[in-house]
Amino acid sequence: MTTCCILGLGYIGLPTAAVLARAGHRVIGVDVNAQVVATVNEGCIHIVEPDLDQAVAAAVASRALSAQLTPATADVFLIAVPTPFRSGADGIPQPNIDYVLAAARAIAPVLRPGNLVLLESTSPVGTTEQVAQEIEEASGFNSEQLYIAYCPERVLPGRILQELISNDRVIGGLTPEAAKAGQAFYASFCQGELLATTARTAELVKLTENSFRDVNIAFANELSLVCDHLGINVRELIRLANHHPRVNVLQPGCGVGGHCIAVDPWFIAAAAPHCTPLIQAARHVNDGKSRWVIEQVQARAAALEDQLGRPARIGCLGLAFKPDVDDLRESPALHITTELLVAGLNVLACEPNLTDHPTIKLHALEQVLAEADLLVFLVAHSPFKGLDLSGRQVFDLCGVTEQDGSV
Ligand SMILES: NC(=O)c1ccc[n+]([C@@H]2O[C@H](COP(=O)([O-])OP(=O)(O)OC[C@H]3O[C@@H](n4cnc5c(N)ncnc54)[C@H](O)[C@@H]3O)[C@@H](O)[C@H]2O)c1
């Protein structure tokens, strides 16, 4: 049995803690948010993720998992804290690794030689080296005395507990020995391949994966505008094009959101602004799609108002950044709904995965369906599938009304 100290009990850290506990490790979960610590110690969870409630309840009940505000001595330290971005010069947002460096400083007093330190937060190239530097300054231990490695997380929200075990992992050591130590640790609960490399390569691998998706979705979003202009159904177009054995266009939407895909490409662009016109353009195309949606809804609302002789009621269906989650981070649907409200439209917002929102009044799906003059489907949540929309004005940005295979 290994004692693991996990810093950050969010969408990544908490499921990882539960999986490690189930695999027989003793897990100390650490979070700077006292509410999160209290919730976990009650055996409860503060995020939406299938089966996580049972896994955490079982881990806490068996005393394999407990949470606290500060790190304690352990064999393995795993950092899964946020890595947001902040605005930067020349319109290129800059990565903010303050939380990662704070976590590195926090573990320094309890580190012992031979400990394995794993960074899982999505990070710009060079962050693991900075973590090592921070640790050495605070503890005196260098990367020869510790095993320090970067191991990015690539789980899909909604399937995190399965994918934590089944996905292949890239493990980038600051030294070859650190990569080996990381492989041995992940082998205790992962069934996927464990691929060793350097920390810098592993950092760029993670950013590459999400930039690949962002660029591909930008292509789909650009096609959706072309199709709108030419009167062609973009989803039928993509479905047919994808019958080519070497073509795989992703789906368009109302933009791109989430903490990863809408953020990580900027981590590459910030490090190499002159080499990344395509990556930067993709970000602009995807953000531009959300602006286009706002303009389209405003135009349709104005036309409806002329027709009805009163302000149109606009149903905005979905606020999360992707289907069947409650996660609002960088959500284009949330941004679009907020902008429509700010513009003074009569918006009826519906997010079935949330009970309330601090600034947006949420309505039940039935009420929106009964009262809205225009239904704007922003996110393909399951409750939006199979609705009878005959005779309704629909603006479907996510294909949820087409899922009967009719296109
Ligand atoms: N959510 C995903 O699907 C996903 C997928 C792959 C990678 N990632 C990456 O994983 C990292 C974590 O993401 P997340 O979604 O779990 O974030 P999150 O916001 O859900 O959770 C992070 C937690 O860390 C805590 N925290 C902040 N600073 C801390 C510190 N110094 N010590 C201890 N706890 C601290 C916060 O209070 C919060 O509870 C990010 O870099 C993210 O990009 C996330």
Side-chain angles (χ1 to χ4, degrees):
M1 185 175 77
T2 302
T3 302
C4 312
C5 182
I6 301 190
L7 284 89
L9 296 176
Y11 287 93
I12 295 302
L14 188 55
T16 304
V19 166
L20 283 172
R22 195 187 280 163
H25 297 291
R26 161 88 185 102
V27 184
I28 302 161
V30 176
D31 204 291
V32 290
N33 183 331
Q35 189 76 46
V36 170
V37 169
T39 305
V40 172
N41 280 332
E42 282 163 17
C44 300
I45 61 172
H46 60 291
I47 51 177
V48 171
E49 179 61 30
D51 303 327
L52 182 62
D53 49 354
Q54 287 165 19
V56 169
V60 172
S62 68
R63 296 172 184 260
L65 169 64
S66 60
Q68 53 193 58
L69 284 164
T70 50
T73 50
D75 305 302
V76 179
F77 292 83
L78 195 153
I79 300 174
V81 298
T83 42
F85 56 6
R86 47 166 79 104
S87 57
D90 304 327
I92 299 182
Q94 300 292 311
N96 172 359
I97 60 165
D98 290 353
Y99 298 94
V100 171
L101 298 182
R105 282 192 297 275
I107 61 173
V110 293
L111 282 174
R112 293 170 308 198
N115 278 162
L116 174 61
V117 178
L118 297 162
L119 175 60
E120 287 204 0
S121 300
T122 302
S123 300
V125 174
T127 305
T128 313
E129 291 162 345
Q130 286 192 55
V131 164
Q133 201 179 330
E134 205 76 37
I135 286 175
E136 187 169 353
E137 280 169 20
S139 72
F141 298 134
N142 62 33
S143 48
E144 301 295 323
Q145 296 162 295
L146 301 165
Y147 299 102
I148 304 179
Y150 179 71
C151 182
E153 190 47 74
R154 41 166 69 136
V155 288
L156 180 71
R159 283 183 43 82
I160 294 181
L161 289 178
Q162 293 97 306
E163 291 205 358
L164 273 174
I165 291 167
S166 62
N167 283 353
D168 294 346
R169 305 287 301 237
V170 177
I171 301 161
L174 278 187
T175 60
E177 293 74 26
K180 271 200 199 105
Q183 280 176 310
F185 172 68
Y186 283 103
S188 71
F189 67 99
C190 292
Q191 289 163 4
E193 263 191 82
L194 303 172
L195 307 150
T197 182
T198 63
R200 289 173 74 84
T201 304
E203 287 161 346
L204 193 55
V205 165
K206 171 67 187 174
L207 304 179
T208 299
E209 290 164 3
N210 285 341
S211 297
F212 168 81
R213 291 180 62 75
D214 197 48
V215 169
N216 194 325
I217 297 169
F219 180 58
N221 275 332
E222 190 160 291
L223 284 175
S224 73
L225 302 189
V226 172
C227 285
D228 183 76
H229 183 63
L230 299 178
I232 290 169
N233 181 320
V234 68
R235 290 179 197 275
E236 182 183 16
L237 172 93
I238 291 174
R239 182 170 60 80
L240 296 174
N242 283 349
H243 275 269
H244 184 294
R246 285 164 295 282
V247 170
N248 183 19
V249 183
L250 298 180
Q251 294 298 316
C254 64
V256 168
H259 185 263
C260 293
I261 298 181
V263 176
D264 301 351
W266 289 125
F267 289 12
I268 302 182
H274 305 299
C275 317
T276 49
L278 178 65
I279 290 171
Q280 294 180 47
R283 281 285 64 246
H284 293 305
V285 167
N286 286 330
D287 288 345
K289 179 69 185 287
S290 303
R291 284 195 297 278
W292 180 84
V293 173
I294 293 165
E295 286 163 15
Q296 284 286 316
V297 174
Q298 285 177 318
R300 290 171 196 223
L304 269 169
E305 181 164 350
D306 286 348
Q307 204 180 312
L308 299 167
R310 59 163 173 80
R313 290 183 291 260
I314 310 298
C316 284
L317 294 132
L319 294 182
F321 85 86
K322 57 175 278 180
D324 297 331
V325 298
D326 66 335
D327 193 339
L328 299 176
R329 289 177 294 177
E330 309 298 327
S331 169
L334 176 65
H335 170 68
I336 289 164
T337 305
T338 304
E339 289 299 308
L340 293 174
L341 281 163
V342 168
L345 265 66
N346 187 351
V347 170
L348 297 169
C350 171
E351 176 43 75
N353 298 294
L354 289 175
T355 47
D356 56 13
H357 183 273
T359 56
I360 298 176
K361 183 170 168 21
L362 299 184
H363 300 266
L365 176 58
E366 297 70 31
Q367 189 191 353
V368 178
L369 291 175
E371 295 181 14
D373 302 303
L374 170 64
L375 296 167
V376 183
F377 286 92
L378 296 167
V379 189
H381 288 316
S382 296
F384 302 161
K385 291 178 186 165
L387 299 173
D388 179 8
L389 300 170
S390 43
R392 307 301 305 271
Q393 267 216 39
V394 169
F395 187 25
D396 182 359
L397 280 311
C398 55
V400 72
T401 62
E402 299 178 16
Q403 300 205 347
D404 59 354
S406 59
V407 292

